[in-house]
Amino acid sequence: MFEPKRLARLKWACRRGMLELDVLLLPFVEQAFDELSYEEKVTFERLLTSDDPDLFAWIMGHQKCDDPELAAMISTVVNRVKV
């Protein structure tokens, strides 16, 4: 389980330099994060350490993420946001 301080830091990390990322990442954490397994939560946390241009390109499908775990998490975020 993510303790409250860790979850608060995660939410803060969702506030990016690009509005396009903000409107995807923060709602994902608020609406779907609790449903993820612990391993998926750690992967999402690692995803947030990526640079904004990379995140944007991966999420928009302009580039493919070479890390399979991160690519799967990107797919989860994108599919969840589409719902």
Side-chain angles (χ1 to χ4, degrees), residues 7-18:
L7 185 57
R9 281 193 299 266
L10 188 74
K11 287 181 179 180
W12 183 256
C14 287
R15 298 183 60 183
R16 312 300 291 205
M18 299 177 93

Side-chain angles (χ1 to χ4, degrees), residues 52-67:
D52 285 358
D54 292 331
L55 274 174
F56 182 76
W58 296 334
I59 288 173
M60 299 309 293
H62 299 158
Q63 292 178 350
K64 181 179 180 279
C65 179
D66 293 332
D67 183 312

Side-chain angles (χ1 to χ4, degrees), residues 2 32-44 73:
F2 272 46
F33 189 74
D34 289 340
E35 299 169 14
L36 300 176
S37 69
Y38 182 79
E39 292 78 18
E40 290 171 321
K41 290 177 181 179
V42 171
T43 300
F44 183 78
M73 182 52 58

Side-chain angles (χ1 to χ4, degrees), residues 1 3 8 19 21 29 31 39 51 60 65 73-74 77-78:
M1 180 175 159
E3 65 272 0
L19 179 62
L21 295 176
V29 169
Q31 298 168 8
E39 292 78 18
D51 293 330
M60 299 309 293
C65 179
M73 182 52 58
I74 291 162
V77 171
V78 169

